[in-house]
Amino acid sequence: MRLVLVFLVLASTIELNSSALTVLQRLLDKNEYNLIWKYGAPQTVKWITIHNTANKATAINEASYLNTRRDNQYISFHYVVDNVHALQLLPDNTNGWHAGDGNGEGNKASIGIEIAQSTNDNIAIRNASIENGARLAARLLKRFNFGVDRLRKHQDWSGKRCPHDILDRYGWTNFVNLVQQKMNTGDY
């Protein structure tokens, strides 16, 4: 009887954690170019900013592109997430250049999350990417002891219509509610 009970408890624990998001640390190279154009100064995190990549690329492809991009533009983000996993590209305590507000709090006090594959023809992949984006946002909000009131859209900082897929198709309120659900259930 005890063996069966232990198995049932173990099986239910595994089931609860089976959807947890894998986050892999793949920090951008610290070469001369990236240190100038992608790595910012130390930051105190106050916000989590959500973006969509506006293309079909996977998280791995987005990370590779950002790491090798050489166009003399300040552009970087902390995480990119797709339907499979998330990649961390910058330390949380380093500002990125993702919000379009110059030296404002979007860039200087916010973790940027890019949700990839936002123009993929396969809606199931787009939805799974959004769900993983909500998991990552929930995880970061919990880590910093924040509530969903600390979530921001890229649009909030610069006026750009981003995260476009969430705004146009999924719904910002639906996304915020999904993040709250993930926080409440521990599904992150």
Side-chain angles (χ1 to χ4, degrees):
M1 180 66 171
R2 285 186 187 172
L3 182 58
V4 171
L5 183 58
V6 169
F7 174 78
L8 290 175
V9 169
L10 182 59
S12 66
T13 302
I14 291 169
E15 180 60 34
L16 286 175
N17 294 326
S18 66
S19 58
L21 177 65
T22 299
V23 179
L24 304 172
Q25 189 176 68
R26 299 285 189 266
L27 297 180
L28 297 173
D29 295 339
K30 287 191 172 183
N31 56 48
E32 183 179 357
Y33 183 90
N34 286 356
L35 288 171
I36 293 170
W37 295 100
K38 296 173 187 165
Y39 279 86
Q43 74 172 350
T44 299
V45 177
K46 296 181 183 177
W47 313 100
I48 308 297
T49 300
I50 305 299
H51 305 261
N52 281 135
T53 58
N55 61 49
K56 297 177 183 182
T58 64
I60 289 172
N61 289 345
E62 282 294 329
S64 177
Y65 174 71
L66 180 62
N67 196 40
T68 59
R69 182 177 175 164
R70 301 287 185 270
D71 57 1
N72 296 338
Q73 297 288 318
Y74 289 105
I75 186 165
S76 58
F77 40 87
H78 296 84
Y79 296 87
V80 59
V81 59
D82 63 16
N83 61 312
V84 178
H85 55 248
L87 303 174
Q88 182 179 10
L89 307 177
L90 289 174
D92 293 341
N93 64 354
T94 300
N95 83 267
W97 302 104
H98 59 89
D101 69 339
N103 288 317
E105 285 196 344
N107 283 330
K108 295 288 190 158
S110 171
I111 292 175
I113 298 174
E114 287 280 358
I115 300 176
Q117 298 187 323
S118 62
T119 63
N120 194 304
D121 296 330
N122 185 330
I123 297 297
I125 288 175
R126 287 164 60 183
N127 287 343
S129 297
I130 289 172
E131 183 158 359
N132 278 344
R135 285 185 175 107
L136 178 58
R139 184 180 294 186
L140 291 168
L141 291 169
K142 282 287 201 179
R143 179 182 305 150
F144 288 97
N145 201 29
F146 294 160
V148 293
D149 60 316
R150 297 295 187 100
L151 283 176
R152 292 293 181 266
K153 304 178 294 288
H154 181 184
Q155 183 178 51
D156 294 330
W157 304 115
S158 69
K160 181 178 181 178
R161 187 133 184 95
C162 178
H164 72 93
D165 190 38
I166 290 172
L167 293 172
D168 296 341
R169 183 183 64 85
Y170 194 84
W172 179 250
T173 300
N174 291 336
F175 180 78
V176 171
N177 289 340
L178 182 61
V179 173
Q180 185 65 66
Q181 176 192 15
K182 301 295 182 192
M183 292 175 72
N184 292 346
T185 62
D187 178 14
Y188 49 83

